[in-house]
Amino acid sequence: MASCIRIIGITIKARTNGIFGRIMNLSVVPDFSGCLKPIAKPKLRNMVMKTWILALSALLALPVQAKFVEIHDSDGYTNLRAEANTQSRVITRINNGRFVYIISDDAVPQSPPKNWLFVRYRDDKNQLQDGWLHQSRVRELGGKTINHTKSVRGFACTHSDVQLYVEMGKFDYTTNKKHFGGKNLNSQYPILHAYKGKTMYGTDGSIPRTAYTAMTLVQNGRRHVITPAAFEHLFNPYFEDMDKGIDHICQYDSKRKRLYLQAWNSDGAGSYAVLFVFENGKVREVLPMDRTF
């Protein structure tokens, strides 16, 4: 009589080292639900082992997680380099407290060497710079992820000290057409690249479908309406058939009274990430980074 073996699945648990998403500790546990006897046949043992190995290989191949991090160096600044070594050309100097965006491993120009990160930085002239940083020169955004509650109009991030209410909706192009800059192939298919004088994000030149419509910050018991100029050029915060706010994460640093909102937005072609930094009831920074998925 054949052995009763029924493999339901494999449970994989992984612990990463925080910022970079690299596997530090891994356990692979097979689920033999319904099995009454141990695996005895060599062929079946080999099949299970191959399954474990494939699962393990897939995990170890996971790329660095794309996200925003903060520069933190004992020298007060760090160098953005052209290549992943300390002898390569310095592209620019980045001071402590500035933010960079880690590009995931599958989007970098070469295989990332150990302990080096390929990042994107927006400088004081609003120009994007790509280059390499040693991972010891950055730290995660401070604080903890806070509650994220969906609403009909968008979502809310709520903490006992601070609350952020974000509203989104369909974009009315007809009403706002006059605010765009670009090139018209014809009236139906314009190529858009600017909105109210700012570079627009979230499309590949096509008409935006959705937009942020309002942001309100409540901190220390005071209500602050965020000026639309901070977000009105950032389009398509959600697909029309997806939940609003699905790709948004809020973190609150209680020591610095600072709220971070990270978002990954797209219309399916024009993708971008953006970091909002709110501090003491005001917008401290808004950092969009295009084509970063």
Side-chain angles (χ1 to χ4, degrees):
M1 181 177 177
S3 299
C4 173
I5 298 174
R6 182 160 56 95
I7 302 175
I8 303 300
I10 293 178
T11 300
I12 302 173
K13 298 179 180 180
R15 180 173 64 83
T16 67
N17 65 340
I19 304 175
F20 314 109
R22 300 190 189 282
I23 302 298
M24 301 295 291
N25 188 298
L26 182 69
S27 60
V28 182
V29 182
D31 178 5
F32 293 106
S33 302
C35 296
L36 301 178
K37 295 183 180 181
I39 299 174
K41 294 185 178 182
K43 287 185 178 180
L44 190 51
R45 282 202 306 269
N46 290 339
M47 180 191 73
V48 174
M49 286 303 296
K50 286 180 180 179
T51 304
W52 293 357
I53 291 170
L54 287 172
L56 182 62
S57 298
L59 269 176
L60 293 177
L62 284 175
V64 165
Q65 182 182 4
K67 65 189 298 184
F68 288 92
V69 292
E70 183 180 358
I71 298 298
H72 182 69
D73 193 304
S74 58
D75 293 330
Y77 69 92
T78 193
N79 292 319
L80 183 69
R81 296 187 177 274
E83 297 179 17
N85 64 75
T86 57
Q87 306 304 313
S88 68
R89 177 175 62 87
V90 175
I91 298 173
T92 190
R93 176 183 290 188
I94 310 176
N95 291 330
N96 278 1
R98 301 301 297 269
F99 302 98
V100 298
Y101 188 79
I102 298 175
I103 306 298
S104 59
D105 283 352
D106 56 357
V108 302
Q110 66 184 69
S111 179
K114 184 179 180 181
N115 299 326
W116 284 85
L117 303 169
F118 191 71
V119 304
R120 180 161 291 168
Y121 169 62
R122 186 173 292 279
D123 64 21
D124 293 331
K125 296 180 180 180
N126 203 34
Q127 299 298 311
L128 291 177
Q129 305 272 8
D130 291 352
W132 295 90
L133 291 177
H134 194 272
Q135 69 177 35
S136 64
R137 303 305 194 256
V138 302
R139 66 181 178 185
E140 289 190 82
L141 303 182
K144 296 181 179 180
T145 302
I146 61 177
N147 292 335
H148 182 283
T149 306
K150 297 177 185 178
S151 68
V152 175
R153 295 183 178 180
F155 65 93
C157 295
T158 56
H159 183 274
S160 57
D161 295 336
V162 64
Q163 299 86 45
L164 177 67
Y165 302 93
V166 179
E167 296 182 15
M168 311 173 188
K170 291 186 176 181
F171 183 71
D172 185 348
Y173 176 69
T174 302
T175 301
N176 293 286
K177 182 178 179 179
K178 61 184 178 181
H179 299 304
F180 284 93
K183 177 181 178 181
N184 284 319
L185 294 178
N186 56 56
S187 59
Q188 187 176 1
Y189 299 105
I191 299 177
L192 309 173
H193 59 73
Y195 184 74
K196 293 188 177 180
K198 293 183 178 181
T199 300
M200 57 181 281
Y201 294 87
T203 82
D204 59 352
S206 59
I207 297 172
R209 293 182 295 175
T210 63
Y212 295 108
T213 57
M215 291 188 184
T216 303
L217 182 69
V218 179
Q219 192 168 18
N220 300 323
R222 300 185 63 181
R223 182 174 177 269
H224 308 271
V225 177
I226 305 303
T227 174
F231 55 79
E232 62 188 1
H233 60 302
L234 306 173
F235 292 105
N236 293 319
Y238 69 98
F239 288 114
E240 291 185 54
D241 58 346
M242 293 178 66
D243 291 329
K244 298 176 181 179
I246 193 172
D247 289 322
H248 293 69
I249 296 175
C250 288
Q251 292 171 244
Y252 182 59
D253 185 342
S254 57
K255 291 183 179 180
R256 294 195 278 185
K257 308 297 182 184
R258 183 181 289 178
L259 177 68
Y260 302 101
L261 170 62
Q262 293 188 75
W264 293 265
N265 302 333
S266 174
D267 66 347
S271 61
Y272 70 102
V274 60
L275 173 66
F276 294 88
V277 184
F278 303 94
E279 190 175 285
N280 296 321
K282 298 179 180 179
V283 178
R284 182 176 182 270
E285 287 187 65
V286 180
L287 296 171
M289 302 287 184
D290 60 346
R291 297 180 179 86
T292 50
F293 283 77

